[in-house]
Short mmCIF file of all heavy atoms in Angstrom, two decimals:
data_model
loop_
_atom_site.label_atom_id
_atom_site.label_comp_id
_atom_site.label_asym_id
_atom_site.label_seq_id
_atom_site.Cartn_x
_atom_site.Cartn_y
_atom_site.Cartn_z
N MET L 1 7.57 6.23 5.99
CA MET L 1 7.92 5.71 4.64
C MET L 1 7.63 6.86 3.73
O MET L 1 6.52 7.45 3.80
CB MET L 1 7.23 4.52 4.33
CG MET L 1 7.57 3.81 3.04
SD MET L 1 6.89 2.20 2.87
CE MET L 1 7.68 1.22 4.08
N THR L 2 8.48 7.24 2.75
CA THR L 2 8.30 8.28 1.94
C THR L 2 7.60 7.86 0.62
O THR L 2 7.52 6.64 0.24
CB THR L 2 9.68 8.96 1.34
OG1 THR L 2 10.31 7.94 0.60
CG2 THR L 2 10.52 9.31 2.58
N ASN L 3 6.87 8.77 0.12
CA ASN L 3 6.04 8.49 -1.13
C ASN L 3 6.93 8.10 -2.28
O ASN L 3 6.47 7.19 -3.11
CB ASN L 3 5.24 9.77 -1.62
CG ASN L 3 4.09 10.06 -0.51
OD1 ASN L 3 3.81 9.24 0.35
ND2 ASN L 3 3.48 11.15 -0.73
N GLU L 4 8.06 8.64 -2.34
CA GLU L 4 8.89 8.31 -3.49
C GLU L 4 9.40 6.78 -3.48
O GLU L 4 9.33 6.14 -4.62
CB GLU L 4 10.24 9.08 -3.54
CG GLU L 4 10.04 10.50 -3.73
CD GLU L 4 9.07 10.95 -4.92
OE1 GLU L 4 9.38 10.42 -6.01
OE2 GLU L 4 8.14 11.76 -4.82
N VAL L 5 9.51 6.21 -2.38
CA VAL L 5 9.77 4.80 -2.34
C VAL L 5 8.51 3.94 -2.62
O VAL L 5 8.57 3.01 -3.45
CB VAL L 5 10.18 4.40 -0.91
CG1 VAL L 5 10.36 2.98 -0.70
CG2 VAL L 5 11.60 5.21 -0.53
N ILE L 6 7.33 4.34 -2.21
CA ILE L 6 6.13 3.74 -2.53
C ILE L 6 5.86 3.81 -3.98
O ILE L 6 5.33 2.87 -4.51
CB ILE L 6 5.02 4.18 -1.50
CG1 ILE L 6 5.42 3.97 -0.05
CG2 ILE L 6 3.73 3.41 -1.82
CD1 ILE L 6 4.46 4.66 0.91
N LYS L 7 5.98 4.85 -4.55
CA LYS L 7 5.59 5.13 -5.96
C LYS L 7 6.31 4.13 -6.93
O LYS L 7 5.80 3.89 -7.94
CB LYS L 7 5.96 6.58 -6.34
CG LYS L 7 4.90 7.59 -5.72
CD LYS L 7 5.11 8.98 -6.28
CE LYS L 7 4.07 9.98 -5.69
NZ LYS L 7 4.30 11.35 -6.18
N LYS L 8 7.47 3.68 -6.44
CA LYS L 8 8.16 2.68 -7.37
C LYS L 8 7.37 1.34 -7.51
O LYS L 8 7.62 0.63 -8.51
CB LYS L 8 9.53 2.34 -6.72
CG LYS L 8 10.43 3.49 -6.81
CD LYS L 8 11.91 3.04 -6.38
CE LYS L 8 12.04 2.11 -5.27
NZ LYS L 8 13.37 1.91 -4.94
N TYR L 9 6.48 1.11 -6.61
CA TYR L 9 5.78 -0.08 -6.59
C TYR L 9 4.22 0.02 -7.20
O TYR L 9 3.52 -0.93 -6.90
CB TYR L 9 5.70 -0.76 -5.20
CG TYR L 9 7.16 -1.05 -4.79
CD1 TYR L 9 7.67 -0.22 -3.78
CD2 TYR L 9 7.76 -2.07 -5.34
CE1 TYR L 9 9.07 -0.55 -3.33
CE2 TYR L 9 9.16 -2.28 -4.95
CZ TYR L 9 9.74 -1.45 -4.00
OH TYR L 9 11.02 -1.72 -3.54
N ILE L 10 3.88 1.13 -7.73
CA ILE L 10 2.62 1.24 -8.28
C ILE L 10 2.52 0.18 -9.44
O ILE L 10 3.32 0.06 -10.21
CB ILE L 10 2.46 2.77 -8.98
CG1 ILE L 10 2.36 3.71 -7.77
CG2 ILE L 10 1.21 2.82 -9.86
CD1 ILE L 10 2.22 5.16 -8.19
N GLY L 11 1.30 -0.51 -9.43
CA GLY L 11 1.04 -1.52 -10.35
C GLY L 11 1.47 -2.89 -9.88
O GLY L 11 1.24 -3.85 -10.55
N LYS L 12 2.14 -2.87 -8.81
CA LYS L 12 2.51 -4.33 -8.28
C LYS L 12 1.49 -4.70 -7.12
O LYS L 12 1.05 -3.95 -6.48
CB LYS L 12 3.94 -4.13 -7.56
CG LYS L 12 5.01 -3.47 -8.44
CD LYS L 12 5.69 -4.46 -9.16
CE LYS L 12 6.86 -3.91 -10.03
NZ LYS L 12 7.49 -4.72 -10.81
N ASN L 13 1.50 -6.03 -7.19
CA ASN L 13 0.64 -6.66 -6.05
C ASN L 13 1.59 -6.71 -4.77
O ASN L 13 2.72 -7.08 -4.85
CB ASN L 13 0.13 -8.17 -6.36
CG ASN L 13 -0.98 -8.04 -7.49
OD1 ASN L 13 -1.85 -7.30 -7.30
ND2 ASN L 13 -0.73 -8.76 -8.52
N CYS L 14 0.91 -6.45 -3.63
CA CYS L 14 1.67 -6.37 -2.36
C CYS L 14 0.76 -6.71 -1.16
O CYS L 14 -0.49 -6.75 -1.28
CB CYS L 14 2.37 -5.10 -2.30
SG CYS L 14 1.14 -3.75 -2.13
N ARG L 15 1.49 -6.77 0.04
CA ARG L 15 0.72 -6.95 1.19
C ARG L 15 1.28 -5.78 2.07
O ARG L 15 2.62 -5.65 2.28
CB ARG L 15 1.14 -8.29 2.02
CG ARG L 15 0.57 -8.34 3.37
CD ARG L 15 1.15 -9.58 4.07
NE ARG L 15 0.75 -10.82 3.28
CZ ARG L 15 -0.31 -11.59 3.51
NH1 ARG L 15 -1.06 -11.35 4.58
NH2 ARG L 15 -0.40 -12.70 2.83
N ILE L 16 0.44 -4.81 2.52
CA ILE L 16 0.84 -3.76 3.34
C ILE L 16 0.31 -4.02 4.75
O ILE L 16 -0.79 -4.43 5.06
CB ILE L 16 0.18 -2.46 2.82
CG1 ILE L 16 0.79 -2.21 1.34
CG2 ILE L 16 0.43 -1.35 3.69
CD1 ILE L 16 0.14 -0.98 0.68
N SER L 17 1.25 -3.85 5.67
CA SER L 17 1.01 -4.09 7.02
C SER L 17 1.12 -2.67 7.91
O SER L 17 2.21 -2.00 7.75
CB SER L 17 1.91 -5.06 7.70
OG SER L 17 1.66 -5.15 8.98
N THR L 18 0.27 -2.52 8.82
CA THR L 18 0.42 -1.37 9.68
C THR L 18 0.74 -1.77 10.98
O THR L 18 0.71 -0.96 12.07
CB THR L 18 -0.89 -0.53 9.79
OG1 THR L 18 -1.98 -1.40 10.17
CG2 THR L 18 -1.24 0.09 8.44
N GLY L 19 1.22 -3.00 11.18
CA GLY L 19 1.69 -3.61 12.43
C GLY L 19 0.75 -3.53 13.60
O GLY L 19 -0.19 -4.25 13.50
N SER L 20 1.09 -2.80 14.56
CA SER L 20 0.30 -2.76 15.85
C SER L 20 -1.10 -2.25 15.63
O SER L 20 -2.02 -2.39 16.43
CB SER L 20 0.99 -1.95 16.95
OG SER L 20 1.05 -0.66 16.68
N PHE L 21 -1.33 -1.55 14.61
CA PHE L 21 -2.66 -1.04 14.28
C PHE L 21 -3.60 -2.18 13.75
O PHE L 21 -4.87 -2.04 13.56
CB PHE L 21 -2.64 0.14 13.29
CG PHE L 21 -2.03 1.34 13.86
CD1 PHE L 21 -0.81 1.69 13.50
CD2 PHE L 21 -2.79 2.04 14.70
CE1 PHE L 21 -0.17 2.82 14.07
CE2 PHE L 21 -2.15 3.36 15.22
CZ PHE L 21 -0.86 3.61 14.89
N GLY L 22 -2.97 -3.30 13.44
CA GLY L 22 -3.84 -4.49 13.05
C GLY L 22 -4.20 -4.61 11.63
O GLY L 22 -5.12 -5.41 11.42
N THR L 23 -3.90 -3.79 10.81
CA THR L 23 -4.42 -3.83 9.33
C THR L 23 -3.35 -4.48 8.37
O THR L 23 -2.16 -4.10 8.44
CB THR L 23 -4.71 -2.37 8.87
OG1 THR L 23 -5.70 -1.78 9.73
CG2 THR L 23 -5.22 -2.47 7.51
N ASN L 24 -3.95 -5.41 7.67
CA ASN L 24 -3.08 -6.02 6.59
C ASN L 24 -3.93 -5.95 5.36
O ASN L 24 -5.00 -6.56 5.38
CB ASN L 24 -2.65 -7.51 6.95
CG ASN L 24 -1.59 -7.61 7.99
OD1 ASN L 24 -0.53 -6.98 7.93
ND2 ASN L 24 -1.96 -8.35 9.00
N VAL L 25 -3.40 -5.43 4.34
CA VAL L 25 -4.25 -5.26 3.06
C VAL L 25 -3.39 -5.98 2.06
O VAL L 25 -2.05 -5.73 1.96
CB VAL L 25 -4.49 -3.76 2.74
CG1 VAL L 25 -5.10 -3.64 1.47
CG2 VAL L 25 -5.26 -3.03 3.83
N ILE L 26 -4.08 -6.82 1.15
CA ILE L 26 -3.39 -7.46 0.12
C ILE L 26 -4.12 -6.89 -1.27
O ILE L 26 -5.31 -6.92 -1.28
CB ILE L 26 -3.63 -8.91 0.12
CG1 ILE L 26 -3.00 -9.53 1.39
CG2 ILE L 26 -3.01 -9.65 -1.00
CD1 ILE L 26 -3.23 -10.93 1.72
N GLY L 27 -3.31 -6.47 -2.26
CA GLY L 27 -3.90 -5.91 -3.39
C GLY L 27 -2.71 -5.09 -4.17
O GLY L 27 -1.58 -5.49 -3.89
N LYS L 28 -3.25 -4.49 -5.21
CA LYS L 28 -2.40 -3.71 -6.21
C LYS L 28 -2.37 -2.28 -5.86
O LYS L 28 -3.41 -1.72 -5.73
CB LYS L 28 -2.87 -4.03 -7.55
CG LYS L 28 -1.96 -3.35 -8.58
CD LYS L 28 -2.57 -3.47 -9.99
CE LYS L 28 -2.55 -4.80 -10.45
NZ LYS L 28 -3.00 -4.91 -11.91
N ILE L 29 -1.07 -1.72 -5.62
CA ILE L 29 -0.99 -0.35 -5.45
C ILE L 29 -1.43 0.40 -6.76
O ILE L 29 -0.84 0.17 -7.83
CB ILE L 29 0.35 0.06 -5.01
CG1 ILE L 29 0.62 -0.49 -3.66
CG2 ILE L 29 0.52 1.59 -4.94
CD1 ILE L 29 2.10 -0.35 -3.20
N ILE L 30 -2.34 1.25 -6.68
CA ILE L 30 -2.75 1.96 -7.88
C ILE L 30 -2.49 3.54 -7.90
O ILE L 30 -2.45 4.09 -9.06
CB ILE L 30 -4.24 1.74 -8.22
CG1 ILE L 30 -5.19 2.15 -7.15
CG2 ILE L 30 -4.46 0.27 -8.67
CD1 ILE L 30 -6.68 2.06 -7.51
N ASP L 31 -2.21 4.12 -6.71
CA ASP L 31 -1.94 5.47 -6.69
C ASP L 31 -1.37 5.79 -5.32
O ASP L 31 -1.71 5.18 -4.32
CB ASP L 31 -3.05 6.27 -6.96
CG ASP L 31 -2.77 7.74 -7.27
OD1 ASP L 31 -1.62 8.10 -7.66
OD2 ASP L 31 -3.67 8.73 -7.06
N VAL L 32 -0.41 6.87 -5.32
CA VAL L 32 0.17 7.41 -4.07
C VAL L 32 -0.04 8.82 -4.20
O VAL L 32 0.51 9.45 -5.09
CB VAL L 32 1.65 6.97 -3.90
CG1 VAL L 32 2.19 7.53 -2.61
CG2 VAL L 32 1.75 5.44 -3.90
N ASN L 33 -0.73 9.43 -3.23
CA ASN L 33 -0.90 10.82 -3.29
C ASN L 33 -0.84 11.37 -1.78
O ASN L 33 -1.76 11.10 -0.96
CB ASN L 33 -2.33 11.20 -3.84
CG ASN L 33 -2.60 12.55 -4.25
OD1 ASN L 33 -1.77 13.56 -3.97
ND2 ASN L 33 -3.71 12.94 -4.71
N GLU L 34 -0.01 12.35 -1.68
CA GLU L 34 0.33 12.94 -0.31
C GLU L 34 0.54 11.79 0.67
O GLU L 34 1.52 11.01 0.40
CB GLU L 34 -0.77 13.80 0.03
CG GLU L 34 -0.85 15.06 -0.79
CD GLU L 34 -1.88 16.11 -0.34
OE1 GLU L 34 -2.31 16.14 0.78
OE2 GLU L 34 -2.22 17.02 -1.17
N ASN L 35 -0.19 11.56 1.67
CA ASN L 35 0.16 10.57 2.64
C ASN L 35 -0.75 9.34 2.39
O ASN L 35 -0.86 8.48 3.37
CB ASN L 35 0.07 11.11 4.13
CG ASN L 35 1.27 11.80 4.53
OD1 ASN L 35 2.33 11.74 3.83
ND2 ASN L 35 1.21 12.50 5.55
N TRP L 36 -1.49 9.27 1.30
CA TRP L 36 -2.35 8.24 1.14
C TRP L 36 -2.03 7.15 0.03
O TRP L 36 -1.51 7.57 -0.98
CB TRP L 36 -3.76 8.82 0.78
CG TRP L 36 -4.36 9.51 1.91
CD1 TRP L 36 -4.18 10.85 2.16
CD2 TRP L 36 -4.97 8.93 3.06
NE1 TRP L 36 -4.87 11.11 3.48
CE2 TRP L 36 -5.31 9.98 3.94
CE3 TRP L 36 -5.35 7.66 3.44
CZ2 TRP L 36 -5.93 9.82 5.02
CZ3 TRP L 36 -6.04 7.46 4.63
CH2 TRP L 36 -6.26 8.47 5.50
N ILE L 37 -2.08 5.93 0.32
CA ILE L 37 -1.84 4.85 -0.66
C ILE L 37 -3.21 4.27 -1.02
O ILE L 37 -4.00 3.81 -0.16
CB ILE L 37 -0.93 3.75 -0.06
CG1 ILE L 37 0.31 4.29 0.48
CG2 ILE L 37 -0.69 2.71 -1.13
CD1 ILE L 37 1.24 3.39 1.33
N GLU L 38 -3.61 4.23 -2.39
CA GLU L 38 -4.73 3.67 -2.79
C GLU L 38 -4.45 2.25 -3.47
O GLU L 38 -3.51 2.13 -4.28
CB GLU L 38 -5.40 4.50 -3.99
CG GLU L 38 -6.79 3.96 -4.44
CD GLU L 38 -7.41 4.82 -5.47
OE1 GLU L 38 -6.76 5.90 -5.97
OE2 GLU L 38 -8.49 4.60 -5.88
N ILE L 39 -5.12 1.27 -2.86
CA ILE L 39 -4.97 -0.05 -3.19
C ILE L 39 -6.10 -0.71 -3.79
O ILE L 39 -7.26 -0.67 -3.22
CB ILE L 39 -4.50 -0.94 -1.96
CG1 ILE L 39 -3.18 -0.22 -1.35
CG2 ILE L 39 -4.23 -2.43 -2.28
CD1 ILE L 39 -2.81 -0.82 -0.07
N GLN L 40 -6.08 -1.40 -4.88
CA GLN L 40 -7.11 -2.20 -5.46
C GLN L 40 -7.13 -3.61 -4.82
O GLN L 40 -6.22 -4.36 -5.04
CB GLN L 40 -6.95 -2.31 -6.92
CG GLN L 40 -8.12 -3.00 -7.69
CD GLN L 40 -7.89 -3.05 -9.18
OE1 GLN L 40 -6.70 -3.08 -9.63
NE2 GLN L 40 -9.00 -2.85 -9.97
N THR L 41 -8.16 -4.00 -4.01
CA THR L 41 -8.25 -5.29 -3.44
C THR L 41 -9.43 -6.09 -4.04
O THR L 41 -10.27 -5.44 -4.78
CB THR L 41 -8.59 -5.15 -2.04
OG1 THR L 41 -9.82 -4.69 -1.82
CG2 THR L 41 -7.50 -4.23 -1.21
N LYS L 42 -9.71 -7.24 -3.60
CA LYS L 42 -10.90 -8.07 -4.16
C LYS L 42 -12.21 -7.40 -3.76
O LYS L 42 -13.17 -7.58 -4.39
CB LYS L 42 -10.70 -9.44 -3.48
CG LYS L 42 -9.53 -10.30 -4.10
CD LYS L 42 -9.63 -11.62 -3.47
CE LYS L 42 -8.46 -12.52 -4.17
NZ LYS L 42 -8.29 -13.69 -3.62
N LYS L 43 -12.12 -6.75 -2.53
CA LYS L 43 -13.29 -6.07 -2.19
C LYS L 43 -13.58 -4.67 -2.65
O LYS L 43 -14.63 -3.99 -2.45
CB LYS L 43 -13.30 -5.92 -0.64
CG LYS L 43 -13.20 -7.16 0.17
CD LYS L 43 -13.03 -6.94 1.61
CE LYS L 43 -12.88 -8.28 2.32
NZ LYS L 43 -12.73 -8.12 3.83
N GLY L 44 -12.68 -4.10 -3.37
CA GLY L 44 -12.76 -2.82 -4.01
C GLY L 44 -11.57 -2.05 -3.69
O GLY L 44 -10.41 -2.50 -3.21
N ASN L 45 -11.55 -0.72 -3.87
CA ASN L 45 -10.35 0.21 -3.65
C ASN L 45 -10.37 0.55 -2.10
O ASN L 45 -11.52 0.82 -1.54
CB ASN L 45 -10.40 1.45 -4.45
CG ASN L 45 -10.12 0.94 -5.92
OD1 ASN L 45 -9.92 -0.11 -6.26
ND2 ASN L 45 -10.13 1.93 -6.77
N GLU L 46 -9.15 0.57 -1.50
CA GLU L 46 -9.00 0.97 -0.12
C GLU L 46 -7.92 2.13 -0.11
O GLU L 46 -7.03 2.10 -0.88
CB GLU L 46 -8.65 -0.20 0.72
CG GLU L 46 -9.72 -1.32 0.87
CD GLU L 46 -9.39 -2.35 1.88
OE1 GLU L 46 -8.60 -2.02 2.79
OE2 GLU L 46 -9.74 -3.47 1.60
N LEU L 47 -8.01 2.98 0.92
CA LEU L 47 -7.00 3.86 1.22
C LEU L 47 -6.37 3.65 2.47
O LEU L 47 -7.00 3.40 3.41
CB LEU L 47 -7.52 5.28 1.16
CG LEU L 47 -8.22 5.78 -0.09
CD1 LEU L 47 -8.93 7.10 0.13
CD2 LEU L 47 -7.10 6.01 -1.25
N ILE L 48 -5.04 3.72 2.51
CA ILE L 48 -4.22 3.55 3.70
C ILE L 48 -3.43 4.77 3.85
O ILE L 48 -2.67 5.23 3.02
CB ILE L 48 -3.34 2.28 3.58
CG1 ILE L 48 -4.21 1.03 3.52
CG2 ILE L 48 -2.47 2.29 4.85
CD1 ILE L 48 -3.40 -0.24 3.50
N ASN L 49 -3.32 5.32 5.10
CA ASN L 49 -2.48 6.48 5.50
C ASN L 49 -1.02 5.95 5.55
O ASN L 49 -0.68 5.11 6.31
CB ASN L 49 -2.83 7.03 6.84
CG ASN L 49 -2.21 8.33 7.11
OD1 ASN L 49 -1.05 8.56 6.81
ND2 ASN L 49 -2.96 9.19 7.82
N ALA L 50 -0.14 6.48 4.68
CA ALA L 50 1.27 5.96 4.50
C ALA L 50 2.01 6.30 5.83
O ALA L 50 2.97 5.60 6.09
CB ALA L 50 1.90 6.71 3.54
N GLU L 51 1.47 7.13 6.72
CA GLU L 51 2.29 7.42 8.05
C GLU L 51 2.26 6.18 8.87
O GLU L 51 3.04 6.12 9.84
CB GLU L 51 1.57 8.58 8.74
CG GLU L 51 2.01 9.86 8.05
CD GLU L 51 1.48 11.01 8.87
OE1 GLU L 51 1.36 10.95 10.08
OE2 GLU L 51 1.12 12.20 7.99
N PHE L 52 1.13 5.33 8.85
CA PHE L 52 1.04 4.15 9.67
C PHE L 52 1.64 2.79 9.09
O PHE L 52 1.63 1.83 9.69
CB PHE L 52 -0.32 4.00 10.06
CG PHE L 52 -0.90 5.18 10.80
CD1 PHE L 52 -1.84 6.06 10.15
CD2 PHE L 52 -0.54 5.43 12.02
CE1 PHE L 52 -2.25 7.11 10.82
CE2 PHE L 52 -1.03 6.56 12.75
CZ PHE L 52 -1.97 7.41 12.07
N VAL L 53 2.12 2.87 7.88
CA VAL L 53 2.66 1.70 7.22
C VAL L 53 4.01 1.31 7.80
O VAL L 53 4.90 2.14 7.95
CB VAL L 53 2.82 1.94 5.65
CG1 VAL L 53 3.59 0.63 4.95
CG2 VAL L 53 1.46 2.13 5.01
N GLN L 54 4.11 -0.04 8.30
CA GLN L 54 5.33 -0.49 8.77
C GLN L 54 6.02 -1.38 7.85
O GLN L 54 7.24 -1.39 7.85
CB GLN L 54 4.98 -1.25 10.09
CG GLN L 54 4.68 -0.52 11.17
CD GLN L 54 4.71 -1.11 12.53
OE1 GLN L 54 4.81 -2.38 12.67
NE2 GLN L 54 4.68 -0.45 13.63
N SER L 55 5.38 -2.05 6.85
CA SER L 55 6.00 -2.93 5.93
C SER L 55 5.15 -3.08 4.69
O SER L 55 4.02 -3.08 4.79
CB SER L 55 6.46 -4.16 6.50
OG SER L 55 5.32 -5.07 6.71
N ILE L 56 5.83 -3.19 3.61
CA ILE L 56 5.19 -3.50 2.26
C ILE L 56 6.03 -4.70 1.74
O ILE L 56 7.21 -4.55 1.54
CB ILE L 56 5.27 -2.37 1.28
CG1 ILE L 56 4.46 -1.15 1.87
CG2 ILE L 56 4.66 -2.84 -0.14
CD1 ILE L 56 4.53 0.11 1.00
N LYS L 57 5.25 -5.73 1.39
CA LYS L 57 5.86 -6.81 0.85
C LYS L 57 5.36 -7.12 -0.54
O LYS L 57 4.11 -7.18 -0.71
CB LYS L 57 5.61 -8.18 1.66
CG LYS L 57 6.31 -8.11 3.02
CD LYS L 57 6.00 -9.40 3.83
CE LYS L 57 6.68 -9.25 5.19
NZ LYS L 57 6.51 -10.42 6.06
N ILE L 58 6.23 -7.15 -1.54
CA ILE L 58 5.99 -7.14 -2.92
C ILE L 58 5.83 -8.58 -3.30
O ILE L 58 6.69 -9.34 -3.02
CB ILE L 58 6.96 -6.42 -3.74
CG1 ILE L 58 7.17 -5.00 -3.34
CG2 ILE L 58 6.49 -6.43 -5.30
CD1 ILE L 58 5.91 -4.22 -3.37
N ASP L 59 4.74 -8.99 -4.05
CA ASP L 59 4.53 -10.44 -4.68
C ASP L 59 5.42 -10.47 -5.88
O ASP L 59 4.85 -9.86 -6.88
CB ASP L 59 3.12 -10.67 -4.79
CG ASP L 59 2.83 -12.08 -5.19
OD1 ASP L 59 3.73 -12.89 -5.37
OD2 ASP L 59 1.69 -12.50 -5.36
N PRO L 60 6.47 -11.16 -5.86
CA PRO L 60 7.26 -11.30 -7.11
C PRO L 60 6.69 -12.00 -8.26
O PRO L 60 7.06 -11.83 -9.47
CB PRO L 60 8.50 -11.85 -6.61
CG PRO L 60 8.14 -12.78 -5.38
CD PRO L 60 7.04 -12.11 -4.70
N SER L 61 5.67 -12.85 -8.01
CA SER L 61 5.08 -13.65 -9.04
C SER L 61 3.98 -12.90 -9.81
O SER L 61 3.61 -13.38 -10.90
CB SER L 61 4.45 -14.90 -8.39
OG SER L 61 3.35 -14.48 -7.53
N LYS L 62 3.64 -11.74 -9.49
CA LYS L 62 2.60 -11.03 -10.27
C LYS L 62 2.98 -9.57 -10.59
O LYS L 62 3.69 -8.92 -10.03
CB LYS L 62 1.39 -10.97 -9.37
CG LYS L 62 0.70 -12.33 -9.16
CD LYS L 62 -0.42 -12.28 -8.38
CE LYS L 62 -1.04 -13.60 -8.02
NZ LYS L 62 -2.30 -13.73 -7.34
#
């Protein structure tokens, strides 16, 4: 997944899945830098390597 596609969703609430790696993160995308996506979650900020992302689902209500 390219950074340009992900950058369109900065500020949006979403669910990011890495599929077979078993990670699902729910939160707001706050930054995309090189291969890293920074997400604000209820537990704090998390970083996900964009190379392992299989899907991003945007929450249309928020």
Side-chain angles (χ1 to χ4, degrees):
M1 190 169 286
T2 66
N3 288 352
E4 296 306 314
V5 172
I6 300 168
K7 285 181 180 181
K8 292 191 313 187
Y9 300 109
I10 290 176
K12 305 272 186 183
N13 287 311
C14 63
R15 175 188 303 259
I16 297 178
S17 173
T18 58
S20 62
F21 291 102
T23 302
N24 287 306
V25 178
I26 299 171
K28 183 188 293 187
I29 297 175
I30 55 177
D31 192 21
V32 178
N33 192 354
E34 296 185 15
N35 279 344
W36 294 96
I37 304 168
E38 186 174 4
I39 302 173
Q40 183 180 32
T41 67
K42 291 180 180 179
K43 296 178 183 177
N45 290 358
E46 295 188 31
L47 294 171
I48 296 179
N49 189 325
E51 290 185 26
F52 298 109
V53 172
Q54 287 194 344
S55 71
I56 298 177
K57 295 183 181 179
I58 306 301
D59 184 356
S61 65
K62 297 181 181 179

